[in-house]
């Protein structure tokens, strides 16, 4: 096999686009607004990718993802305003806080049968949103928290939309690499077996309850990171950004992109953030069009744009360092 | 020789029904034991009790000398007991290779951190074990295909390969020949006997009497949850109680 085929072409192309083409083009336009949209897309790529682990790979319907995103955002923002601890503290703390909360939530609920688990995540999402909205003493309630300090990396202020974009892009890219490895590994295969038939996985020595708790917690960690990025890029967090409709939006990204496929989750996020922006000329009609796109994609592409099954060949060829090749097909992680 | 698995006085009630009623038997290392009985005799319940999917009402199961009747299925599997299911249960949206790898991961384990940062000894061991199991059932050349695309017969072997990837000490097969035609059944029988000759202890639930009688070294017969016979195939075949249970004839 030639060395050329071993080159990770798709990841390489993504790096060129995210760190080269996009910032270059945006700088040409020179508008802060475009950078904000680009940051937003990256943040939702991370949210969608993290939910993809739980819902697409492990097959758990999770209806409260935005709440963990919110925890990350509030923890990062409040650490900045109340404790004067900056980005490098607030970002990981936001991720960890979301993960700890997810762990506490997952311990009692993970034994529930799937549909009841989905209802539990819905309830937890609503509870967290309600707390953010009403615990005025800490969260400032509906007014939200203003975070003026901006991103500083070791006392060096990150100034201007381009620099901020690069910080967001680095955090998201590293997270995506981690999520990709979690999904495309034997660990990921064990997660997939939960989705396919968890009783059967149990009989093969897979500790299904533990694995579900783990993946739920890991996913919340990445959602928390996304929250920290949101707090620092917008400088303002308020409860409405983390309500049920945001959970559904993230879920829609995963489903439209294709359940079980990380590229699908990324494409889904880009599409569902970009589409409303592109359609701004249509006024309020744009939301209807976005709805129609979602509806149509589920109707005509039940496996999403790049569902697990059709994505298999693509994932194999481009996303996996092959461990062996059999009859022209590469196998192993 | 101490028994590999020892079942003592195992009972399971579902409401008023006693599905398994005071059954005691054992399997020694290297044995190939058949478990037969009419429909509703409690064969699958007995398998579920052994593998941890059902908790016994009373009685004990010891595997390699240790009690396992209070353990969860994955903990029992990790101790070296693999099972297949009555109705084929593969992971349809995963490749053949990935299906089998789950058995190896279940036995060897890979943590989330190892998945993200891991370099390899474990990963290579899982890969090697998966390939070995695929080789054993002759599915290596289809490793990259989606499991759902395999024929019914091949899926049976996939399920067995997944169990073999766990490197079990005891393999329990729940009606492996169901849905296979005569020549496929004969081939499967040869394969099961081969596995057993290589030293793997096997317990086999099967409706196909010819299959059971031709390959097993001992046959346990259940009827209405009770054990009515436990002996060499030839002896069991002539046992009046067994004939009565199966044919309803007064012996």
């Amino acid at each position: 096999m030639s060395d050329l085929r071993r080159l990770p072409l798709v990841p390489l192309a993504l790096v060129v686009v995210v760190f080269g083409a996009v910032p270059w083009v945006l700088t040409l336009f020179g508008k802060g607004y475009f950078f904000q949209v680009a940051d937003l897309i990256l943040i939702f790529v991370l949210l969608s990718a993290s939910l993809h682990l739980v819902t697409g790979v492990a097959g758990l319907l999770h209806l409260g993802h935005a709440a963990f995103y919110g925890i990350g955002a509030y923890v990062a923002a409040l650490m900045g305003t109340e404790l004067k601890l900056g980005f490098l503290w607030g970002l990981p703390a936001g991720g960890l806080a979301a993960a700890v909360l997810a762990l506490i939530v997952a311990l009692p609920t993970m034994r529930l049968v799937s549909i009841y688990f989905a209802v539990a995540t819905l309830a937890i999402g609503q509870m967290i949103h309600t707390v953010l909205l009403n615990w005025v003493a800490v969260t400032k309630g509906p007014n939200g928290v203003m975070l003026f300090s901006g991103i500083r990396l070791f006392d060096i202020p990150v100034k201007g939309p381009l620099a901020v974009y690069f910080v967001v892009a680095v955090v998201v890219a590293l997270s995506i690499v981690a999520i990709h490895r979690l999904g495309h590994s034997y660990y990921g295969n064990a997660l997939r077996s939960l989705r396919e038939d968890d009783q059967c996985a149990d009989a093969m020595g897979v500790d299904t309850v533990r694995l579900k708790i783990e993946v739920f917690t890991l996913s919340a960690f990445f959602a928390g990171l996304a929250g920290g990025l949101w707090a620092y890029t917008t400088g303002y967090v308020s409860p409405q950004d983390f309500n049920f409709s945001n959970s559904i939006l993230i879920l829609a990204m995963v489903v439209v992109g294709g359940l079980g496929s990380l590229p699908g989750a990324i494409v889904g996020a880009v599409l569902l953030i970009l589409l409303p922006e592109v359609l701004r000329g249509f006024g309020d009609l744009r939301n209807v069009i976005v709805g129609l796109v979602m509806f149509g994609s589920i109707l005509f592409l039940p496996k999403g744009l790049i569902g697990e099954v059709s994505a298999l060949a693509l994932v194999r060829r481009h996303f996996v360092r092959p461990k062996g090749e059999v009859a022209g097909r590469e196998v192993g992680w | 020789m101490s028994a590999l698995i020892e079942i003592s006085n195992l009972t399971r009630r579902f409401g008023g029904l006693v599905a398994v009623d005071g059954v005691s038997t054992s399997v020694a290392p290297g044995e190939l034991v058949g478990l037969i009985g009419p429909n509703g005799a409690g064969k699958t319940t007995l398998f579920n009790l052994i593998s941890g999917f059902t908790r016994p009402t009373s009685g004990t199961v010891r595997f390699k000398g240790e009690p396992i009747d209070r353990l969860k299925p994955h903990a029992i599997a990790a101790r070296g007991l693999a099972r297949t299911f009555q109705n084929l249960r593969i992971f349809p949206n995963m490749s053949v290779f990935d299906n089998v790898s789950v058995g190896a991961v279940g036995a060897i384990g890979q943590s989330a951190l190892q998945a993200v940062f891991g370099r390899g000894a474990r990963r290579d061991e899982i890969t090697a074990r998966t390939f070995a199991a695929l080789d054993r059932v002759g599915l290596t050349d289809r490793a990259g295909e989606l499991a759902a695309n395999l024929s019914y017969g091949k899926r049976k072997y996939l399920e067995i390969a997944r169990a073999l990837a766990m490197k079990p000490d005891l393999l329990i097969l729940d009606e492996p020949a169901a849905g296979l035609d005569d020549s496929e059944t004969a081939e499967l029988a040869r394969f099961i006997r081969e596995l057993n000759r290589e030293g793997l202890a096997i317990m086999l639930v099967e409706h196909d009497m010819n299959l059971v009688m031709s390959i097993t070294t001992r046959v346990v017969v259940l009827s209405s949850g009770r054990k009515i016979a436990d002996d060499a195939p030839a002896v069991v075949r002539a046992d009046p109680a067994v004939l009565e249970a199966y044919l309803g004839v007064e012996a």
Side-chain angles (χ1 to χ4, degrees):
Chain A
M1 195 161 75
S2 75
D3 285 343
L4 198 66
R5 269 186 68 193
R6 283 181 186 272
L7 276 177
L9 288 178
V10 169
L12 219 61
L14 275 176
V15 167
V16 170
V17 169
V18 172
F19 291 96
V22 168
W24 181 60
V25 170
L26 292 183
T27 310
L28 287 184
F29 282 102
K31 272 196 195 167
Y33 168 73
F34 288 129
F35 276 102
Q36 275 173 27
V37 173
D39 293 342
L40 189 66
I41 288 175
L42 287 173
I43 288 168
F44 271 89
V45 161
L46 181 50
L47 287 169
S48 173
S50 57
L51 186 63
H52 140 87
L53 269 186
V54 172
T55 300
V57 177
L60 300 165
L61 185 54
H62 183 0
L63 299 174
H65 203 50
F68 296 98
Y69 168 46
I71 295 291
Y74 269 89
V75 167
L78 291 171
M79 276 184 79
T81 56
E82 307 298 313
L83 304 175
K84 307 294 171 213
L85 289 171
F87 181 74
L88 287 180
W89 289 98
L91 188 75
L96 286 176
V100 168
L101 190 72
L103 179 64
I104 294 168
V105 164
L107 285 171
T109 52
M110 220 33 112
R111 282 161 213 280
L112 298 176
V113 178
S114 57
I115 188 66
Y116 299 104
F117 171 76
V119 174
T121 59
L122 172 70
I124 284 146
Q126 292 300 89
M127 276 162 57
I128 293 173
H129 178 248
T130 306
V131 169
L132 294 180
L133 194 61
N134 295 306
W135 195 13
V136 179
V138 174
T139 66
K140 316 284 188 283
N143 293 332
V145 179
M146 300 287 265
L147 180 68
F148 295 113
S149 55
I151 301 176
R152 296 175 77 88
L153 299 176
F154 307 107
D155 284 338
I156 304 159
V158 175
K159 284 208 173 114
L162 182 65
V164 170
Y165 170 85
F166 272 116
V167 170
V168 174
V170 166
V171 174
V172 171
L174 290 177
S175 303
I176 294 292
V177 169
I179 290 170
H180 173 251
R181 290 197 176 170
L182 284 169
H184 294 101
S185 61
Y186 291 119
Y187 182 80
N189 281 359
L191 292 178
R192 279 187 183 78
S193 75
L194 304 178
R195 179 192 67 196
E196 299 286 300
D197 185 339
D198 63 346
Q199 205 183 29
C200 192
D202 206 347
M204 325 210 52
V206 175
D207 188 343
T208 54
V209 173
R210 189 198 152 120
L211 214 53
K212 286 176 188 176
I213 292 171
E214 276 182 25
V215 73
F216 190 71
T217 305
L218 283 166
S219 165
F221 173 77
F222 291 112
L225 286 187
L229 293 176
W230 168 259
Y232 271 93
T233 51
T234 60
Y236 174 63
V237 295
S238 82
Q240 67 183 28
D241 297 319
F242 314 111
N243 59 14
F244 179 62
S245 65
N246 278 282
S247 292
I248 293 300
L249 175 63
I250 303 166
L251 186 63
M253 291 168 174
V254 175
V255 173
V256 167
L259 278 176
S261 156
L262 178 57
I266 294 172
V267 170
V270 174
L271 194 70
L272 290 190
I273 294 295
L274 214 49
L275 209 56
E277 298 299 330
V278 174
L279 297 174
R280 260 180 199 284
F282 289 87
D284 284 340
L285 202 61
R286 71 192 173 124
N287 289 323
V288 177
I289 299 173
V290 173
L292 281 176
V293 168
M294 284 191 201
F295 185 68
S297 74
I298 287 165
L299 205 61
F300 298 113
L301 302 165
K303 276 170 180 155
L305 296 172
I306 322 174
E308 178 98 278
V309 180
S310 59
L312 205 70
L314 179 122
V315 168
R316 288 248 176 276
R317 249 182 300 127
H318 297 301
F319 277 67
V320 178
R321 197 171 297 253
K323 297 295 294 175
E325 191 174 345
V326 175
R329 291 170 184 275
E330 288 154 1
V331 292
W333 297 113
Chain B
M1 189 73 197
S2 72
L4 182 61
I5 191 162
E6 191 154 15
I7 298 157
S8 322
N9 255 319
L10 207 60
T11 298
R12 171 68 208 201
R13 279 183 238 281
F14 293 107
L17 175 82
V18 189
V20 171
D21 190 356
V23 171
S24 300
T25 188
S26 65
V27 178
E31 253 194 311
L32 174 44
V33 177
L35 180 63
I36 61 170
N39 279 328
K43 306 178 297 281
T44 293
T45 304
L46 184 61
F47 269 15
N48 284 339
L49 288 167
I50 295 171
S51 55
F53 282 93
T54 307
R55 288 278 165 92
T57 309
S58 63
T60 56
V61 182
R62 297 175 84 84
F63 184 60
K64 295 196 260 187
E66 287 171 53
I68 57 166
D69 45 76
R70 299 286 145 194
L71 296 180
K72 298 218 173 87
H74 67 85
I76 295 174
R79 282 163 191 250
L81 193 150
R83 69 166 293 178
T84 64
F85 290 89
Q86 194 168 14
N87 309 307
L88 263 182
R89 287 168 78 168
I90 55 163
F91 307 131
N93 297 311
M94 294 167 67
S95 73
V96 169
F97 181 92
D98 289 353
N99 260 269
V100 177
S101 77
V102 175
V105 190
I108 297 169
Q110 188 187 43
S111 71
L113 281 178
Q114 284 164 342
V116 177
F117 300 107
R119 273 267 159 262
R122 237 169 224 263
R123 193 181 61 184
D124 294 345
E125 196 187 337
I126 295 170
T127 306
R129 216 191 250 202
T130 305
F131 271 124
L134 284 168
D135 272 340
R136 192 65 196 78
V137 301
L139 279 174
T140 309
D141 57 345
R142 309 196 62 178
E145 279 180 55
L146 208 59
N149 294 344
L150 292 185
S151 68
Y152 186 79
K154 292 288 179 199
R155 287 186 211 180
K156 293 266 181 191
Y157 284 95
L158 174 60
E159 208 185 9
I160 294 174
R162 218 169 43 178
L164 291 178
M166 297 161 67
K167 282 207 180 157
D169 298 303
L170 175 65
L171 174 62
I172 56 186
L173 300 168
D174 199 349
E175 297 199 21
L180 298 182
D181 65 27
D182 287 351
S183 72
E184 287 170 328
T185 302
E187 195 191 314
L188 184 70
R190 257 198 311 279
F191 180 65
I192 292 170
R193 189 144 67 169
E194 236 174 74
L195 286 178
N196 176 245
R197 283 199 180 133
E198 288 161 17
L200 180 61
I202 297 173
M203 226 177 154
L204 172 76
V205 160
E206 191 47 70
H207 268 305
D208 190 321
M209 291 292 275
N210 289 331
L211 172 67
V212 173
M213 294 300 176
S214 64
I215 65 173
T216 57
T217 49
R218 189 155 61 82
V219 177
V220 176
V221 189
L222 291 185
S223 177
S224 309
R226 284 168 205 252
K227 186 171 93 167
I228 58 169
D230 186 346
D231 217 322
V235 180
V236 166
R237 204 200 292 262
D239 190 321
V242 175
L243 290 174
E244 191 197 325
Y246 263 92
L247 304 171
V249 235
E250 291 289 329

